[in-house]
């Protein structure tokens, strides 16, 4: 692992280290602000998929408070990030939710996902923290 980091990944590690030294890591509060600006219209203010535009969308927006429950109690950070960031092979018209890639790739922070340091757009790192913080922990009935 150390050999790998010292070799091919060194420029990436140095870039990420410089970014996090100059700026603080995003928090769930930062993610809540991003969510309010970009997600509430469809997913609703409580992230339950009942935003003002939800009724007109097919499929309806997901209840984001249930991601961990649907994943055996563990928040699926890698899957959520992959879906939110967007598949570069699919355009916006291929899915209802917009892709949040593009210019975000210019400001990456290191996030550990499934035990692997993953370069993640700053806004989406905060959004992941926020989404994890709103998971419904009530036992299933």
């Amino acid at each position: 692992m150390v050999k790998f980091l010292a070799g091919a990944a060194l420029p990436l590690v140095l870039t990420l280290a410089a970014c996090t030294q100059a700026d603080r890591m995003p928090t769930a509060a930062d993610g809540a602000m991003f969510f309010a600006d970009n997600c509430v219209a469809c997913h609703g203010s409580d992230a339950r998929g009942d935003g003002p535009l939800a009724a007109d969308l097919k499929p309806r927006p997901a209840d984001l408070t249930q991601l961990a429950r649907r994943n055996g109690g563990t928040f699926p950070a890698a899957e959520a990030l992959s879906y939110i960031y967007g598949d570069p092979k699919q355009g916006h018209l291929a899915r209802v939710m917009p892709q949040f890639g593009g210019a975000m790739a210019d400001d990456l922070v290191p996030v550990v996902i499934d035990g692997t340091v993953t370069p993640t757009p700053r806004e989406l790192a905060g959004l992941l923290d926020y989404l994890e913080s709103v998971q419904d922990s009530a036992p299933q009935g």
Side-chain angles (χ1 to χ4, degrees):
M1 182 66 105
V2 173
K3 187 174 183 180
F4 173 75
L5 290 176
L10 186 57
L12 176 61
V13 170
L14 292 176
T15 300
L16 292 174
C19 177
T20 58
Q21 290 171 2
D23 302 313
R24 65 176 177 74
M25 287 293 290
T27 65
D30 297 319
M33 290 180 3
F34 181 88
F35 187 87
D37 290 343
N38 296 281
C39 310
V40 167
C42 298
H43 291 282
S45 60
D46 62 359
R48 295 193 181 278
D50 59 357
L53 302 179
D56 295 328
L57 297 174
K58 303 290 184 239
R60 289 191 53 121
D63 179 344
L64 300 176
T65 67
Q66 301 298 307
L67 297 175
R69 179 177 280 179
R70 290 191 304 257
N71 192 52
T74 302
F75 179 70
E79 181 181 330
L81 177 62
S82 176
Y83 192 80
I84 295 165
Y85 196 64
D87 183 345
K89 296 176 188 161
Q90 291 185 333
H92 173 255
L93 297 177
R95 59 191 233 155
V96 175
M97 198 177 98
Q99 296 179 33
F100 289 101
M104 286 185 174
D106 294 337
D107 186 14
L108 303 176
V109 295
V111 175
V112 177
I113 297 178
D114 296 338
T116 301
V117 176
T118 305
T120 303
R122 178 177 301 281
E123 292 95 341
L124 299 187
L127 182 60
L128 286 176
D129 278 352
Y130 170 70
L131 292 176
E132 188 168 14
S133 77
V134 300
Q135 295 306 292
D136 186 358
S137 60
Q140 289 183 341

